Amino acid sequence: MLRIQSTFTRFLKQSVPLAVLLSFLSVTLLSLSACDSEPPALMKASKQFDSDEIRDKHVAHMRKNHMDELMHKRDETVYNGIRTQKYSLNACINCHVPEQHNGEVLRHTNPEHFCSTCHGYVAAKLDCFECHVDHPVKQPTTSISNSIQNYHNSKAHTEIKSYIQANVSDEIATLSLAKNVTFDTNEVSDVKTDQSNKASSKKGSDQ
Amino acid sequence: MSKIDSYRRNFLSGLAGTAAAVTIAPGVFLREVQAKPADEPISDKVRWGMLIDINKLSDGGDACIEACKKEHGWGDEKHSNDQQDAQWIRKVKVTEKMTGKTMSLPVMCQHCETAPCVDVCPTGASMKRADGIVQVNKHICIGCRYCMMACPYKARSFVHETLVDQRPGTPRGKGTVESCNMCVNRVDAGKNPACVDAAPEAMLFGDLNDENSQISKVLKQYGGTQIRADLELNTGVRYWGI
Ligand code: SF4
């Protein structure tokens, strides 16, 4: 009798936590299936892929892996100076965030901002924009290129040119005055946000 | 080294600088930076360096400073006081005690080969790239400011306030330290640093490891002064005329 009782209590002792666990799981699963797991609607990117297939791949990959890709790319850039468009934060921003939204700059503090919509939804803190700019900015053409241009037109430069041709070895003269002298007339980044650039982004998967 | 020795050396190097400035035609070397393919990592075969002829800087470097501000977006801190303001490059006025001669030179990060800021950084954020450019990896900077203490050139600044609208090529943010990064974003794209393009008659940028580069050629011929050469940091930025 004693023995039976002890087996029974042991069974009870074991099964109670099991039952608790089971009921907890079922409640969680039920509630999960009940909640709306659709991610919030995101702002449309300014550039579109050529085919839905490429786009769907991009979306699926980035939804899951964007943080890892960005983390990897940031180290490649800071340590190795690799500044390709692929997985560059600036490239993401240039395509996913409009220059203006309702006549204003769209900042990450606005829940409509592409990144903030989801990050707000899942309550994950967004650190990138403590340092990085959160909307597309065209690097302004500074007076730098003008200053070179002015310099080239200046009397001083003509004098130097003749000085070099007279005094310095041909090698240096050609090096410095011909092939390496270029002007930065186009300082603006090559990422265009309008549809006209679509043709050039045909490869698609690079964005 | 005794005071007299160092004075003598400075005096001599000053002389050499002046002679060089008179002899060599200024600003003949505009663009010698070749773009590396964008997907290729930088290599330690290159060491970027800069030469500044202060006698050719008629404005003492104001144009360079303006160009730097524009390129990197510093100098517009709204809530910082004078001591807190960012200074990637500053005009330093020096007077020679003996003669009273005054000079004004632009001083930025000197991109030392053996950089004290890299030595002291507890997180590895203060770093030297393979090509000799010293910069802060702000992703892992904790803002302790040891590097600011260690830098003999006062080249580093700490960002004291929340910033918005940074330049896309130059992320900067509150709580991290920053300094001249020799315009890495431009150099990686095969351009000159902004300051060099702003004062092409007085500044020269190029590869110190390549003996055929223009900067190496003129340095070999005329030498170039390091500020605080006594520290033996082998700086990447050299001067003429001091
Ligand atoms: S402030 Fe940042 S870069 Fe400077 S030593 Fe501290 S962690 Fe390193």
Side-chain angles (χ1 to χ4, degrees), chain B residues 117 120-123 125-126 136 140-147 156 177:
Chain B
C117 60
V120 299
C121 179
T123 69
S126 183
V136 180
I140 54 174
C141 171
I142 54 170
C144 67
R145 291 166 260 185
Y146 283 6
C147 55
R156 289 225 159 144
V177 164

Side-chain angles (χ1 to χ4, degrees), chain A residues 74 78-81 83 90 107 131-133 135 139-140 142 144 147 151-152 160 163-164 175-176 180 184, chain B residues 23 25-28 30-31 34 36 41-42 70-71 135 137 139 165-168 171-173 188 197 214:
Chain A
R74 89 176 195 194
V78 174
Y79 295 112
N80 295 328
R83 288 172 203 274
N90 282 337
R107 298 185 194 281
C131 286
H132 289 270
V133 66
H135 54 90
Q139 200 95 19
T142 57
I144 291 167
S147 77
Y151 177 69
H152 266 255
I160 292 157
Y163 173 92
I164 293 184
L175 261 179
S176 53
N180 288 328
D184 296 337
Chain B
T23 325
V28 290
L30 289 172
R31 292 289 295 271
Q34 301 296 322
K36 69 167 178 58
I42 51 169
K70 259 192 199 144
E71 177 67 28
Q135 61 173 358
N137 177 0
H139 299 115
D165 293 344
Q166 296 90 333
R167 319 281 332 123
R172 1 182 352 246
D188 285 340
D197 275 356
Q214 291 131 357

Side-chain angles (χ1 to χ4, degrees), chain A residues 127-157:
Chain A
D127 274 340
C128 307
F129 304 121
E130 301 286 305
C131 286
H132 289 270
V133 66
D134 52 9
H135 54 90
V137 177
K138 289 223 170 83
Q139 200 95 19
T141 316
T142 57
S143 57
I144 291 167
S145 41
N146 291 344
S147 77
I148 295 192
Q149 211 119 26
N150 290 343
Y151 177 69
H152 266 255
N153 299 334
S154 71
K155 191 166 157 249
H157 185 244

Side-chain angles (χ1 to χ4, degrees), chain A residues 76-103:
Chain A
E76 286 285 290
T77 307
V78 174
Y79 295 112
N80 295 328
I82 295 176
R83 288 172 203 274
T84 46
Q85 293 283 295
K86 196 168 184 176
Y87 303 133
S88 128
L89 182 60
N90 282 337
C92 302
I93 295 293
N94 284 338
C95 191
H96 280 292
V97 184
E99 269 174 66
Q100 294 269 310
H101 181 61
N102 300 336

